[in-house]
Amino acid sequence: RQAKQELIDSLRAAEARTRAVESEMERAEELRATAPADSAPVETVAHILRSLARGEKRSHVFETRANSKGTTTDGGFTVPESFGGRIIEKMLTVGPLLNPAIVNRITTSDLRDIPFPIENARAHGTATAEAATYAIVTPTFTEKTLKAYKYGTLVVASEELLASEDVNLTEFFARNMGVGVGTAVNNILTTGTGTVQPEGIVAGSSAVTGGTGVSGAPTYASLIDLVHAVDSMYASSPSAGFQMRRSTLGAVRKIVDTTGQPIFVPSPVAGLPSTILGYNVYENPDIPASAANAISVYFGDWSYFYVRQAGGVEVKVSNEAYFTSDQVAFKVRTWVDSFVGQTEAIKWFKGGTA
C-alpha cells in the first residue's frame, strides 16, 4: 500500500511539472506572437568589429549622431550605441572645424550636392519724400554648393588583438580611426582652396593689415585691430571667437592690456573655451605658427563657416591585404565639404616684419 501511494505521488508531481512546462511554452508563444515584427537581435559595436574582421560582414556604416541608434546596411542588426558618434568625438580632439558647437555643421545621409544662395548686396531703405516714389532696391545673390569630398584612413590590427576579449575594441578603433580621419579633415577644412576640395577658412575669409612685431607675432594693438575689422553684426554674435595654433596661443597669453592685465582669461569650467578680449578662443593645429608674412590668427563669426558631413562614417575590412603578417585592415572614410558664407564674417591677421 505504501509503495502504491509513493507511485501516485510521483505521478502527480510529474503531472505538475508537465503542466508548468506547458504553461511556460504557452507564455513564450504569446510573447513571440505579440513581439514587434521588425524587432532585431542586439549586437554590440565590438561584435560588429569582430564580425568584420572574421569576414562575416564586408562593411558597416555607423551614424554620426551621438547617442543614437542606427542599422547596418547588410543585415538588420540594431546598433546599441553610436560608434560613429564616438569616432566624431575623437575627430574633434585634433581640430575644431567639425564641432557643431563652434561651426555650422550640416549632416546628411546622402552625397548629393546642396546649393546655397549667398547674398552679395542687401536690400536697404532710403528717405522718401511725401508722395514720392520709393526707390527700388533689389538684393543680389551668388551661389555656393556643398559637395561631398572623401577622406579616410586605414587602421591595421593584429588577429591576436581582435581575438582578445580583454581589449576594449570600441575605444581602440574609435581613437585610431577618429584621430586618423580627423587630422585629414581638419587640415583640409582649414587650408582647402575650394577647387576640387573644400573651401577652407584660409580661402574663404578676408585679410586685415597685420601690424609689425617680433617674428610677426600678434600684439595687443593688432588683435584689437583684428576684432574691429569685423563688422559688429558678426563680432556681437555668440559664435564669434578666435582660432590659432597652440604655439601662437602661448605667445598671446603673455600679452597684457594697457592696465597690465592679461588679455587671456582661462576657462573656469573644464570643457568650456578660454577667452581673449572677451571672445572664445579655439586651438587649431592646422593654422600656421606666427611668423613674418604668416596668417596666424583668425577672428570672426564661426556660424558663417558651413561644414557638411555626408554619408556617416563607413568602415570596411580586408583580411587579405596583410595576410602574411596576420593582420586585419580596417578602412574608415567619411565625406565632407565646407565654405565661408560671407567673407567679411571671418578675418585673419598676417604677421608683419620686425
Side-chain angles (χ1 to χ4, degrees):
R1 182 179 300 174
Q2 182 178 355
K4 181 178 179 181
Q5 185 61 43
E6 289 178 352
L7 177 61
I8 293 172
D9 292 342
S10 176
L11 291 173
R12 286 175 177 172
E15 184 179 3
R17 289 195 297 271
T18 301
R19 285 198 299 270
V21 171
E22 290 175 348
S23 177
E24 289 297 323
M25 292 178 64
E26 290 175 359
R27 178 170 173 75
E29 186 63 31
E30 290 175 358
L31 290 175
R32 281 194 295 269
T34 57
D38 59 349
S39 62
V42 174
E43 191 175 46
T44 67
V45 173
H47 288 158
I48 293 171
L49 294 173
R50 288 191 173 94
S51 296
L52 287 168
R54 290 192 295 264
E56 297 168 6
K57 296 177 184 291
R58 299 306 303 170
S59 66
H60 189 92
V61 177
F62 294 95
E63 294 186 6
T64 59
R65 294 192 302 271
N67 301 319
S68 66
K69 294 184 178 180
T71 56
T72 68
T73 57
D74 60 350
F77 285 102
T78 299
V79 180
E81 60 178 311
S82 177
F83 181 65
R86 295 285 297 279
I87 293 178
I88 295 300
E89 289 175 4
K90 300 299 180 183
M91 291 170 72
L92 299 185
T93 65
V94 295
L97 295 182
L98 273 178
N99 191 337
I102 300 173
V103 302
N104 195 336
R105 195 182 90 184
I106 302 166
T107 58
T108 62
S109 59
D110 59 66
L111 308 181
R112 289 177 294 181
D113 290 358
I114 304 176
F116 275 80
I118 304 297
E119 185 183 58
N120 275 350
R122 302 186 184 95
H124 58 275
T126 59
T128 305
E130 184 178 351
T133 302
Y134 285 99
I136 298 176
V137 180
T138 303
T140 60
F141 296 87
T142 56
E143 185 177 271
K144 289 187 176 181
T145 301
L146 282 175
K147 296 182 176 293
Y149 297 104
K150 180 175 64 180
Y151 294 89
T153 190
L154 199 67
V155 176
V156 178
S158 68
E159 292 182 356
E160 289 81 3
L161 174 68
L162 295 170
S164 174
E165 295 292 340
D166 298 326
V167 177
N168 187 336
L169 285 185
T170 301
E171 180 63 24
F172 173 81
F173 281 99
R175 180 175 65 252
N176 283 271
M177 294 176 180
V179 171
V181 177
T183 300
V185 168
N186 191 79
N187 178 271
I188 201 64
L189 296 183
T190 302
T191 63
T193 64
T195 302
V196 200
Q197 59 183 230
E199 178 188 87
I201 59 176
V202 172
S205 54
S206 53
V208 63
T209 302
T212 59
V214 178
S215 298
T219 63
Y220 175 66
S222 61
L223 292 176
I224 292 291
D225 290 341
L226 178 60
V227 168
H228 286 270
V230 175
D231 188 278
S232 58
M233 181 180 75
Y234 305 115
S236 61
S237 167
S239 300
F242 290 94
Q243 284 196 32
M244 62 191 75
R245 74 182 301 135
R246 186 169 181 79
S247 60
T248 303
L249 180 59
V252 171
R253 292 187 67 167
K254 302 172 186 177
I255 299 175
V256 297
D257 61 19
T258 55
T259 66
Q261 297 299 312
I263 64 173
F264 175 88
V265 178
S267 172
V269 180
L272 294 181
S274 301
T275 62
I276 294 174
L277 299 174
Y279 292 98
N280 291 343
V281 57
Y282 308 102
E283 291 185 28
N284 186 333
D286 293 301
I287 294 175
S290 58
N293 298 315
I295 300 171
S296 59
V297 181
Y298 287 80
F299 175 80
D301 183 356
W302 295 102
S303 69
Y304 278 83
F305 187 59
Y306 290 81
V307 177
R308 178 200 189 182
Q309 185 170 26
V313 178
E314 184 183 64
V315 179
K316 288 191 173 183
V317 67
S318 171
N319 300 77
E320 292 80 23
Y322 294 88
F323 175 78
T324 57
S325 57
D326 291 334
Q327 292 179 307
V328 178
F330 289 83
K331 180 175 68 178
V332 58
R333 60 183 181 177
T334 191
W335 293 259
V336 298
D337 196 10
S338 63
F339 65 77
V340 176
Q342 293 290 345
T343 56
E344 69 266 23
I346 301 172
K347 292 183 179 291
W348 43 258
F349 163 80
K350 185 176 183 179
T353 56

